[in-house]
């Protein structure tokens, strides 16, 4: 720090010690935290230092979001080293009791001391962390009637848990939340601390927050509860949710009605049964595999699996090669119906599954092979994708590819692993097996184009490049235009078939027009840059057994999605087609377009012809002579009443005083800091945010040469810290392109290689 920075730091620190939290930068906060965790404070007292650390975090976390990544863990570590009055999970529960928007793993830590037994002790913040709905942002919750949820929801969840316990499970077991795993980490990880590295065991942690079946069920419970209160308060609007089983709906209604015991349990021969108060029509609950009564109480496991488990066949943990060997051994194994048991890991192998998870996985796989796509979890999808990529249980490579791509339809909406992993793995699989299919063909289906990342639009067009333009889906044209048709109110009001049926024919005729004039076609008339997409196959996922470090060519990629001239041309075409449809449908307003060749407009007008409508007969006009005479007489009478003889004297004329004129000057247009480096507005916004020090940091990360040392040197030179630099870049990226740019573990690197061309352009031109 220079002299001015030192003066400010010590001035700010003195105020913080007095409990006055002045606005400051993250670097000063981290520096003071390093002093505190290392015991550098006057009259060092651990309990007072612990309170000081908590206050610093709570006062500055909204202003500096990167603090949430580190300070809660460091506070727990400090308590573990210096105080040890509570276990780590209890400290996490205390820290996040009423804190909004905690990180996912912190949410889990905070819930461990309350679940699975104390559902009635959950706060609204706790419940929000378990569902896919923000209760406290609801307008209804802001009203006094909505605040009733604070007390009702914990009681509802407790009663539902009691209901499932009476059946021998409880909420956690009923929805298959995986068993707890022991969490262990290095103390003060990422901080500057004295002494040798030490480690802290957090405790046994269940993944409550990330378990989708439980999250979906609880979301429906909360929304159903709020709807009851909305209806009672005559509040407009109803929340949409999955239907609940009638017994659960009844528990909710009776709990809100004030019944502390919404169901009755009777003991009959040591087996619990629920007495239903009224019989209602069956409704479908949260989508889980169908369960028989026998399975609900005592599921029958697969005998072959049980024998293998007893022999220790699956005790290989994460051994990848053993996993691949077992794929082929178990390729023909099938299993009978078994209750859903969750497994939410992004990576998986047989050796990581419990007996219940193994039984459910092989039952689910048996049904998927019959094209019966039951609900599943992320870890099961990963294992099944791995099997298909290794061609376990398939007849050929094409059969494996077909089964792989069929997973998209039923699972892409609820499972991020399908959206992110499937297109990439399909392309690599086609190249690795030299199949007679375009590697990028998977991107071409309309339902997939809609979910394609905006930086992958070029892959869609490249796969279609040699396909006749009349076979291109509408979504492909939209991908390379600067007109967003989904924002057109007109197109939402007409029959979509009326719009889509004209596009292929018009594009075919325009393509023929340009080919006849020796311009090679509708797109090839432009100079389209291209590059070879190369990468090691299965680089991030199955490289150990399928890939290699050698880069392979995937395909030639034509760079159209950011080609300004092409985007404008296709955008104008789509607008002119819509304008013609507007004209045909009698819609008054027209879209503004740039001039297109008259031959192109002629093709559009000739293909979209107005439907001839029968001309209605002209109405006959008959004059009522008697009525006209009556109106004329009334007009004369009114004229006589209003007529005043003209006064001969001249009236005095008052001339108004001349008005002062004020010279006005045209306002200058607002100055912007917008960059024109990219056609993509999000990247231009990111470019505007980044300062020279951020660009230097990106340059070091891209080069991948002594990254840690160089970033530390750069941070020291600019009186800041590496974590602050990387955190600021990622915050800017989240605000603009809605993604992370840099992953920091173990060494900083670019999170997605598809961003590298944009970063290179940013570094070379800004």
């Amino acid at each position: 720090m220079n002299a001015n920075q030192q003066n400010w730091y010590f001035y700010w620190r003195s105020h913080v010690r007095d409990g006055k939290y002045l606005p400051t930068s993250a670097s000063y906060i981290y520096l003071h935290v390093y002093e505190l965790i290392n015991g550098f404070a006057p009259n060092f007292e651990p309990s007072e230092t612990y309170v000081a650390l908590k206050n610093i975090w709570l006062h500055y976390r909204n202003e500096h979001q990167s603090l949430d990544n580190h300070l809660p863990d460091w506070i727990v570590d400090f308590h573990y080293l210096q105080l040890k009055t509570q276990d780590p999970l209890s400290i996490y529960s205390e820290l996040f009791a009423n804190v909004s928007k905690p990180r996912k793993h912190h949410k889990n830590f905070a819930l461990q001391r309350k679940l699975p037994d104390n559902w009635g002790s959950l706060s609204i913040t706790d419940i929000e962390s378990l569902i896919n709905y923000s209760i406290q942002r609801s307008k209804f919750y802001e009203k006094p009637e909505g605040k009733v949820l604070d007390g009702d929801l914990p009681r509802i969840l407790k009663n539902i848990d009691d209901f499932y316990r009476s059946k021998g499970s409880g909420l956690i077991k009923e929805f298959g939340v995986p068993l707890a795993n022991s969490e262990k980490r290095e103390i003060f990880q990422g901080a500057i601390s004295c002494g040798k590295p030490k480690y802290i065991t957090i405790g046994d942690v269940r993944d409550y927050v990330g378990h989708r079946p439980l999250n979906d069920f609880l979301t429906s419970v909360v929304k159903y509860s709020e709807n009851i209160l909305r209806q009672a308060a005559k509040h407009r609007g109803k929340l949409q949710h999955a239907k609940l089983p009638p017994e659960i709906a009844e528990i909710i209604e009776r709990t809100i009605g004030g019944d502390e015991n919404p169901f009755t349990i009777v003991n009959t021969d040591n087996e619990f049964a629920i007495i239903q108060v009224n019989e209602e029509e069956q409704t479908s609950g949260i989508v889980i595999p169908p369960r028989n009564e026998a399975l609900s109480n005592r599921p029958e496991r697969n005998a072959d699996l049980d024998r293998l488990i007893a022999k220790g066949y699956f005790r290989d943990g994460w051994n990848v090669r053993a996993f691949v060997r077992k794929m082929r051994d178990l390729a023909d194994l099938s299993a009978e119906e078994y209750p859903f048991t969750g497994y939410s890991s992004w990576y998986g192998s047989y050796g990581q599954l419990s007996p219940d998870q193994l039984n459910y996985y092989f039952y689910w796989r048996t049904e998927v092979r019959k094209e019966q796509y039951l609900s599943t979890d992320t870890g099961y999808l990963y294992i099944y994708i791995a099997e298909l990529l290794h061609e376990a249980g398939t007849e050929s490579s094409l059969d494996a590819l077909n089964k792989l791509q069929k997973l998209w339809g039923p699972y892409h909406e609820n499972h991020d692993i399908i959206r992110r992993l499937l297109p990439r793995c399909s392309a690599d699989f086609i190249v690795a097996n030299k199949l007679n299919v375009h590697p990028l063909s998977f991107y071409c289906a309309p339902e997939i184009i809609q979910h394609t990342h905006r930086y992958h639009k070029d892959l869609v067009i490249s796969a279609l490049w040699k396909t006749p333009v009349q076979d291109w889906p509408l979504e492909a044209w939209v991908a390379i235009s600067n007109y967003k048709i989904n924002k057109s109110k007109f197109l939402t009001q007409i029959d979509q078939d009326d719009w889509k049926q004209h596009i292929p024919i018009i594009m075919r005729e325009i393509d023929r027009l340009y080919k006849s004039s020796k311009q090679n076609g509708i797109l090839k008339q432009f100079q389209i840059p291209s590059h070879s997409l190369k990468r090691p196959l299965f680089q991030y996922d199955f490289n150990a057994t399928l890939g290699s470090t050698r880069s392979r060519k995937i395909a030639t990629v034509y760079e159209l999605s950011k080609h300004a001239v092409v985007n404008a041309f296709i955008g104008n075409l789509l607008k002119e087609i819509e304008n013609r449809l507007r004209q045909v449908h009698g819609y008054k307003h027209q879209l503004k377009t740039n001039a297109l060749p008259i031959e192109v407009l002629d093709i559009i007008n000739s293909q979209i012809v107005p439907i001839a409508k029968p001309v209605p007969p002209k109405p006959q006009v008959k004059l009522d002579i008697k009525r006209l005479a009556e109106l004329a007489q009334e007009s004369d009478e009114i004229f006589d009443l209003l007529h005043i003889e003209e006064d001969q004297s001249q009236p005095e004329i008052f001339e108004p005083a001349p008005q002062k004129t004020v010279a006005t000057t045209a306002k200058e247009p607002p100055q912007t800091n917008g960059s024109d480096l990219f056609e993509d507005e999000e990247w231009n916004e990111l470019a505007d945010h980044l300062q020279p020090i951020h660009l230097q940091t990106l340059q070091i990360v891209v080069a991948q040469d002594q990254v840690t040392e160089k970033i530390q040197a750069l941070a020291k030179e600019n009186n800041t810290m590496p974590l602050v630099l990387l955190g600021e870049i990622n915050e800017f990226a989240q605000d603009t392109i809605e993604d992370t740019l840099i992953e920091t573990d173990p060494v900083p690197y670019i999170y997605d290689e598809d961003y590298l061309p944009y970063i290179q352009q940013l570094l070379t031109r800004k």
Side-chain angles (χ1 to χ4, degrees):
M1 291 188 288
N2 59 33
N4 289 333
Q5 291 169 329
Q6 290 178 3
N7 289 333
W8 164 253
Y9 172 70
F10 292 120
Y11 170 77
W12 168 81
R13 189 182 69 177
S14 65
H15 279 75
V16 169
R17 288 175 174 174
D18 292 336
K20 300 175 182 178
Y21 299 92
L22 305 179
T24 190
S25 68
S27 297
Y28 298 120
I29 297 172
Y30 278 110
L31 179 57
H32 186 41
V33 168
Y34 295 156
E35 291 177 340
L36 292 174
I37 64 178
N38 286 287
F40 299 133
N43 303 318
F44 174 72
E45 172 59 42
S47 59
E48 293 179 1
T49 303
Y50 172 71
V51 173
L53 286 168
K54 285 201 301 183
N55 288 337
I56 290 172
W57 172 55
L58 293 172
H59 278 90
Y60 288 112
R61 66 183 297 267
N62 291 329
E63 182 181 352
H64 302 285
Q65 296 180 7
S66 66
L67 297 179
D68 276 0
N69 294 329
H70 307 287
L71 256 64
D73 295 332
W74 295 347
I75 292 169
V76 171
D77 295 346
F78 181 85
H79 186 282
Y80 176 79
L81 286 178
Q82 302 290 343
L83 297 173
K84 296 184 179 180
T85 57
Q86 300 182 67
D87 62 275
L89 289 177
S90 298
I91 299 298
Y92 277 114
S93 183
E94 175 188 302
L95 287 177
F96 290 97
N98 293 297
V99 171
S100 62
K101 296 182 180 180
R103 297 292 187 262
K104 177 183 173 181
H105 66 287
H106 288 150
K107 293 178 186 178
N108 268 325
F109 291 163
L111 290 169
Q112 301 305 311
R113 284 292 171 263
K114 298 181 179 181
L115 299 181
D117 299 320
N118 298 318
W119 288 91
S121 67
L122 297 182
S123 65
I124 285 291
T125 304
D126 293 333
I127 295 172
E128 275 192 336
S129 68
L130 289 166
I131 63 176
N132 312 314
Y133 167 58
S134 180
I135 304 170
Q136 298 180 79
R137 291 186 182 180
S138 165
K139 291 184 179 179
F140 175 72
Y141 182 78
E142 296 173 359
K143 298 182 177 183
E145 298 91 336
K147 297 297 182 183
V148 176
L149 289 167
D150 291 345
D152 278 354
L153 284 179
R155 290 193 300 118
I156 289 169
L157 296 181
K158 176 183 180 299
N159 288 335
I160 293 174
D161 183 56
D162 289 344
F163 167 74
Y164 282 119
R165 285 176 185 272
S166 70
K167 298 174 66 176
S169 57
L171 266 173
I172 300 305
K173 289 184 179 179
E174 181 71 16
F175 290 93
V177 179
L179 297 174
N181 294 317
S182 181
E183 292 279 345
K184 185 178 181 180
R185 68 156 188 270
E186 184 180 342
I187 288 179
F188 298 133
Q189 190 171 6
I192 299 174
S193 61
C194 303
K196 296 180 180 180
K198 297 181 181 179
Y199 294 87
I200 179 174
T201 299
I202 305 301
D204 293 334
V205 178
R206 284 180 183 263
D207 185 14
Y208 298 115
V209 175
H211 191 64
R212 183 173 294 275
L214 177 66
N215 303 152
D216 290 345
F217 174 77
L218 294 180
T219 301
S220 293
V221 167
V222 169
K223 288 184 176 181
Y224 185 80
S225 305
E226 184 172 329
N227 279 341
I228 294 174
L229 293 174
R230 285 175 177 234
Q231 184 178 3
K234 297 182 179 180
H235 181 83
R236 290 185 178 181
K238 185 178 180 180
L239 302 174
Q240 298 296 317
H241 60 82
K243 290 184 179 179
L244 292 168
E247 61 268 24
I248 300 300
E250 184 179 350
I251 289 172
I252 296 171
E253 292 165 7
R254 297 185 66 182
T255 303
I256 290 177
D259 191 344
E260 292 296 332
N261 299 296
F263 57 90
T264 306
I265 303 175
V266 295
N267 195 332
T268 307
D269 298 331
N270 295 322
E271 292 184 1
F272 287 100
I274 304 300
I275 297 178
Q276 301 294 338
V277 177
N278 53 8
E279 295 294 333
E280 297 181 0
E281 184 180 354
Q282 279 290 337
T283 58
S284 59
I286 299 302
V287 182
I288 58 176
R291 303 177 59 160
N292 297 332
E293 284 301 319
L295 288 173
S296 299
N297 297 322
R298 190 178 298 278
E300 293 292 335
R301 290 181 177 170
N302 183 284
D304 293 334
L305 270 176
D306 276 352
R307 281 193 293 270
L308 292 173
I309 293 169
K311 292 178 180 179
Y313 181 77
F314 296 104
R315 293 177 184 172
D316 48 41
W318 288 102
N319 188 318
V320 178
R321 301 197 179 279
F323 175 36
V324 174
R325 186 173 61 253
K326 288 180 174 59
M327 288 180 192
R328 297 180 174 88
D329 296 343
L330 301 170
D332 298 326
L333 180 66
S334 61
E336 297 299 324
E337 185 177 0
Y338 199 84
F340 177 82
T341 306
Y343 180 48
S344 58
S345 172
W346 246 80
Y347 299 92
S349 70
Y350 305 132
Q352 295 295 311
L353 301 181
S354 68
D356 284 337
Q357 289 168 335
L358 282 166
N359 275 271
Y360 180 74
Y361 171 71
F362 287 107
Y363 160 59
W364 170 79
R365 189 185 73 174
T366 301
E367 295 302 307
V368 168
R369 288 177 174 178
K370 301 174 186 176
E371 298 191 10
Q372 299 295 319
Y373 296 99
L374 305 178
S375 291
T376 189
D377 215 339
T378 302
Y380 298 135
L381 286 168
Y382 183 91
I383 293 174
Y384 186 56
I385 291 172
E387 290 179 350
L388 294 177
L389 293 176
H390 289 85
E391 300 183 42
T394 63
E395 297 176 1
S396 64
S397 298
L398 280 174
D399 181 46
L401 179 65
N402 183 47
K403 289 179 177 177
L404 188 70
Q405 296 183 348
K406 282 184 177 180
L407 293 174
W408 178 273
Y411 295 123
H412 75 274
E413 289 186 358
N414 296 324
H415 296 282
D416 187 53
I417 189 174
I418 295 295
R419 296 192 295 274
R420 298 184 65 175
L421 192 62
L422 212 56
R424 186 185 186 100
C425 282
S426 295
D428 291 356
F429 184 81
I430 291 168
V431 173
N433 291 278
K434 300 179 181 179
L435 301 180
N436 189 25
V437 182
H438 194 288
L440 304 178
S441 58
F442 187 63
Y443 288 93
C444 298
E447 65 273 14
I448 295 174
I449 296 176
Q450 295 173 5
H451 295 275
T452 302
H453 196 281
R454 59 181 178 271
Y455 302 116
H456 295 164
K457 301 297 185 186
D458 288 334
L459 305 183
V460 175
I461 305 304
S462 301
L464 293 168
W465 190 251
K466 295 183 180 180
T467 306
V469 294
Q470 63 266 28
D471 295 335
W472 288 28
L474 171 62
E475 290 77 9
W477 295 110
V478 174
I480 58 172
S481 80
N482 61 4
Y483 175 47
K484 309 300 182 186
I485 65 170
N486 60 327
K487 295 183 179 180
S488 170
K489 292 183 180 179
F490 167 73
L491 293 178
T492 62
Q493 296 171 1
I494 67 170
D495 186 357
Q496 291 300 302
D497 291 337
D498 191 21
W499 161 255
K500 292 184 178 181
Q501 70 180 351
H502 291 101
I503 299 294
I505 301 172
I506 291 173
M507 293 302 184
R508 180 193 65 196
E509 295 303 316
I510 296 174
D511 190 55
R512 288 176 178 174
L513 171 69
Y514 283 107
K515 284 181 177 178
S516 66
S517 59
K518 298 182 180 180
Q519 292 181 319
N520 296 325
I522 188 172
L523 291 177
K524 295 177 183 178
Q525 61 172 311
F526 303 102
Q527 293 183 349
I528 309 297
S530 63
H531 68 273
S532 292
L533 174 62
K534 296 181 179 180
R535 63 173 179 243
L537 302 184
F538 309 104
Q539 185 175 6
Y540 299 119
D541 309 298
F542 305 100
N543 183 263
T545 54
L546 288 172
S548 66
T549 57
R550 182 172 65 88
S551 291
R552 298 276 297 276
K553 180 180 178 180
I554 306 299
T556 298
V557 177
Y558 296 92
E559 301 168 10
L560 278 165
S561 64
K562 304 303 174 189
H563 195 296
V565 178
V566 173
N567 301 158
F569 177 74
I570 301 300
N572 276 321
L573 272 180
L574 296 177
K575 287 180 180 179
E576 288 292 357
I577 294 171
E578 183 177 334
N579 278 342
R580 180 59 176 166
L581 284 170
R582 287 171 178 242
Q583 184 180 355
V584 167
H585 286 271
Y587 202 81
K588 294 181 179 180
H589 304 290
Q590 294 278 293
L591 302 172
K592 293 181 180 180
T593 61
N594 296 325
L596 286 173
I598 189 67
E599 298 86 354
V600 173
L601 295 176
D602 287 343
I603 290 174
I604 295 173
N605 294 333
S606 65
Q607 293 297 328
I608 305 177
V609 180
I611 300 174
K613 297 181 180 179
V615 180
K618 293 183 178 179
Q620 295 182 357
V621 180
K622 294 182 179 180
L623 297 177
D624 188 341
I625 303 300
K626 183 179 179 180
R627 180 59 181 155
L628 285 175
E630 292 175 353
L631 291 173
Q633 183 179 353
E634 291 175 0
S635 299
D636 292 340
E637 292 174 355
I638 293 171
F639 179 78
D640 292 339
L641 290 171
L642 295 177
H643 181 67
I644 301 174
E645 292 186 2
E646 186 176 347
D647 190 355
Q648 299 297 323
S649 60
Q650 296 294 329
E652 184 178 0
I653 299 176
F654 294 91
E655 295 187 2
Q659 295 183 353
K660 295 181 180 180
T661 59
V662 180
T664 60
T665 58
K667 293 184 179 180
E668 295 182 0
Q671 298 296 320
T672 64
N673 296 323
S675 171
D676 60 351
L677 293 179
F678 306 96
E679 295 299 328
D680 191 313
E681 293 179 2
E682 291 90 347
W683 276 91
N684 283 329
E685 291 177 15
L686 177 59
D688 290 339
H689 281 85
L690 296 177
Q691 301 301 316
I693 188 172
H694 300 132
L695 297 175
Q696 294 178 51
T697 306
L698 282 172
Q699 185 75 54
I700 294 170
V701 174
V702 170
Q704 285 294 296
D705 180 24
Q706 298 181 336
V707 178
T708 303
E709 294 78 5
K710 289 183 178 180
I711 292 180
Q712 287 177 345
L714 178 64
K716 183 177 181 181
E717 181 180 332
N718 289 272
N719 300 309
T720 185
M721 280 169 284
L723 285 175
V724 175
L725 279 179
L726 299 172
E728 288 175 344
I729 293 173
N730 281 334
E731 286 181 19
F732 293 151
Q734 287 286 356
D735 291 341
T736 52
I737 67 172
E738 300 180 351
D739 204 349
T740 298
L741 267 189
I742 300 175
E743 183 62 56
T744 58
D745 186 22
V747 176
Y749 64 93
I750 300 302
Y751 174 70
D752 190 334
E753 67 176 5
D754 292 316
Y755 294 154
L756 284 174
Y758 298 89
I759 296 172
Q760 293 286 9
Q761 186 177 355
L762 181 68
L763 296 174
T764 55
R765 294 185 58 189
K766 183 162 183 179

